[in-house]
């Protein structure tokens, strides 16, 4: 299988990045540099390492407990084209795909970058918005600050605006 991503790492089985047991893929490189970010080691676009789609699929296919995949970062939309290709490969194997982004749903849908929409359309849920340290809350499911939203992508695209949900 041809393709690779620049990654900070992979957690094969995570229970904190979405419902169920999920593979979390941490992309490398982030333009947001949110103060208090949980993953500052993922900011440098020259950090991390190249990881093949084959390697990711091998992990996914060997672990029958994984029910979903989460893209986190770094900023996943900085590798939107590659992630969209990966989703096409792994989507039949998992129930859903969640993508975290420092960009809002509106910024993604109004972007001139067509790869942003290709990735968005392939995923099921978007957790959007920059991490804002002064809005930090430990009471939120799967989010770090109260400004971040969990968005049902399919329903949002159908209705033409962000539809907020809970997981």
């Amino acid at each position: 299988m041809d393709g690779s991503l620049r990654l900070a790492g992979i957690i094969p089985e995570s229970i904190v990045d979405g419902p169920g047991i999920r593979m979390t893929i941490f992309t490398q490189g982030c333009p947001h540099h949110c103060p208090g970010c949980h993953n500052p080691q993922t900011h440098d676009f020259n950090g991390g390492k190249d990881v093949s789609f084959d390697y990711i699929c091998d992990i996914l296919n060997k672990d029958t407990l994984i029910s979903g995949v989460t893209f986190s970062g770094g900023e996943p939309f900085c590798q939107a084209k590659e992630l969209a290709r990966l989703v096409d490969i792994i989507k039949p194997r998992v129930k859903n795909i969640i993508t975290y982004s420092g960009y809002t749903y509106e910024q993604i849908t109004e972007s001139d970058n067509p790869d942003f929409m290709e990735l968005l359309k392939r995923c099921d849920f978007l957790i959007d918005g920059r991490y804002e340290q002064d809005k930090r809350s430990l009471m939120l499911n799967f989010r770090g600050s109260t400004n971040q939203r969990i968005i049902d992508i399919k329903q949002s695209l159908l209705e033409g605006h962000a539809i907020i949900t809970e997981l």
Side-chain angles (χ1 to χ4, degrees):
M1 194 173 319
D2 190 28
S4 67
L5 292 161
R6 188 81 177 164
L7 299 182
I10 296 173
I11 296 179
E13 294 181 359
S14 170
I15 58 169
V16 298
D17 298 309
I21 298 174
R22 319 181 61 79
M23 172 190 274
T24 301
I25 298 172
F26 294 92
T27 60
Q28 184 69 42
C30 181
H32 305 300
H33 301 277
C34 301
C37 174
H38 188 65
N39 299 319
Q41 73 282 6
T42 66
H43 293 179
D44 184 356
F45 283 91
N46 296 314
K49 62 183 178 181
D50 291 326
V51 176
S52 72
F53 288 180
D54 285 337
Y55 179 78
I56 295 167
C57 290
D58 283 349
I59 294 172
L60 187 62
N61 290 330
K62 287 179 183 172
D63 191 334
T64 58
L65 297 176
I66 297 171
S67 62
V69 172
T70 297
F71 299 141
S72 187
E75 172 52 63
F77 279 87
C78 287
Q79 299 183 67
K81 184 175 183 177
E82 295 82 4
L83 285 171
R85 287 186 53 221
L86 180 63
V87 171
D88 287 342
I89 297 165
I90 65 175
K91 186 74 181 227
R93 164 65 177 78
V94 296
K95 289 182 184 173
N96 60 53
I97 296 182
I98 297 171
T99 298
Y100 282 82
S101 178
Y103 297 114
T104 63
Y105 175 83
E106 291 79 10
Q107 289 172 317
I108 293 168
T109 57
E110 294 168 9
S111 168
D112 293 333
N113 185 336
D115 296 331
F116 279 23
M117 281 305 294
E118 290 305 313
L119 175 58
L120 188 71
K121 288 188 300 188
R122 286 168 169 78
C123 296
D124 300 288
F125 299 98
L126 174 72
I127 299 176
D128 80 340
R130 294 173 56 132
Y131 172 71
E132 295 185 21
Q133 200 167 11
D134 62 328
K135 295 178 180 170
R136 178 178 187 234
S137 174
L138 299 176
M139 303 305 292
L140 301 168
N141 283 335
F142 314 122
R143 290 162 287 164
S145 57
T146 57
N147 63 298
Q148 295 175 313
R149 306 174 296 179
I150 301 173
I151 296 173
D152 181 325
I153 295 171
K154 305 291 185 239
Q155 196 63 35
S156 296
L157 292 173
L158 195 63
E159 296 192 27
H161 61 92
I163 302 296
I164 299 169
T165 189
E166 291 292 328
L167 294 173

